[in-house]
Amino acid sequence: MKAHSYENAFLITGGIVLAMCASALAYATFGMGMHLPGRVAQIDPAKVYQTPPFNKPGVRKIGEGRYEVVLVAQAWAFMPAEIRVPRNAEVTFTATSVDVIHGFDIERTRVNMMLIPGQVGRLTHTFREPGEFLLLCHEYCGAGHHMMYGKVIIE
Ligand code: CUA
């Protein structure tokens, strides 16, 4: 084989792989409706604690089996640090950060967001398994990053 026919084979293979990636992405987005947790609203990061609903962080029951968790991330803690909801509860997390980018990841679930100052993040999850789950900050946010965690207790 001549050198340029190897080159062609690589180019064609690369093209096929790219086309496969693009169609998988298109299928996930349009076919399965997958998307990143939305940017719901913008907020003045300097006035988070004065802006509803973040002036009252915590867990609220909003309907039969439905809960809302309003959460604020600040170096290096989550507020509230402990979230308690019953099993099978549909929980909507509304969260933001007051200082730097923090992560919001509940282990063994698909709950995973970035908390960006000035942006409100929202995500809904139904907890089927009872137990205690760690809520972790998984974006490096400074010296206390490794100590930034909370607990989600499903009763
Ligand atoms: Cu907050 Cu890492």
Side-chain angles (χ1 to χ4, degrees):
M1 242 199 238
K2 281 192 218 136
H4 71 262
S5 53
Y6 282 116
E7 232 174 88
N8 282 344
F10 275 114
L11 279 174
I12 291 163
T13 312
I16 291 170
V17 170
L18 270 180
M20 283 166 68
C21 291
S23 39
L25 192 63
Y27 177 67
T29 310
F30 304 109
M32 300 167 75
M34 284 187 189
H35 54 85
L36 288 171
R39 135 157 64 140
V40 185
Q42 304 204 318
I43 185 173
D44 180 349
K47 294 187 184 139
V48 169
Y49 291 115
Q50 287 86 54
T51 311
F54 300 106
N55 54 346
K56 288 178 188 148
V59 185
R60 275 183 275 288
K61 190 170 182 179
I62 51 171
E64 211 33 67
R66 293 174 60 232
Y67 291 79
E68 181 187 47
V69 175
V70 173
L71 181 136
V72 178
Q74 180 170 15
W76 292 283
F78 293 107
M79 224 177 50
E82 190 181 295
I83 296 162
R84 241 172 226 278
V85 287
R87 192 181 160 198
N88 292 325
E90 185 193 281
V91 184
T92 299
F93 296 93
T94 302
T96 193
S97 163
V98 299
D99 41 32
V100 295
I101 295 178
H102 294 284
F104 181 91
D105 179 46
I106 302 176
E107 60 161 356
R108 291 180 280 136
T109 70
R110 287 169 58 192
V111 177
N112 187 330
M113 290 196 268
M114 266 167 100
L115 305 180
I116 303 168
Q119 304 288 346
V120 177
R122 185 169 290 146
L123 189 133
T124 300
H125 183 74
T126 303
F127 291 89
R128 302 273 178 220
E129 303 278 314
E132 221 182 274
F133 299 80
L134 264 181
L135 158 63
L136 289 167
C137 175
H138 63 326
E139 292 288 338
Y140 181 72
C141 56
H145 163 69
H146 62 288
M147 298 181 312
M148 186 166 173
Y149 66 95
K151 252 193 286 185
V152 179
I153 298 160
I154 310 300
E155 296 171 323

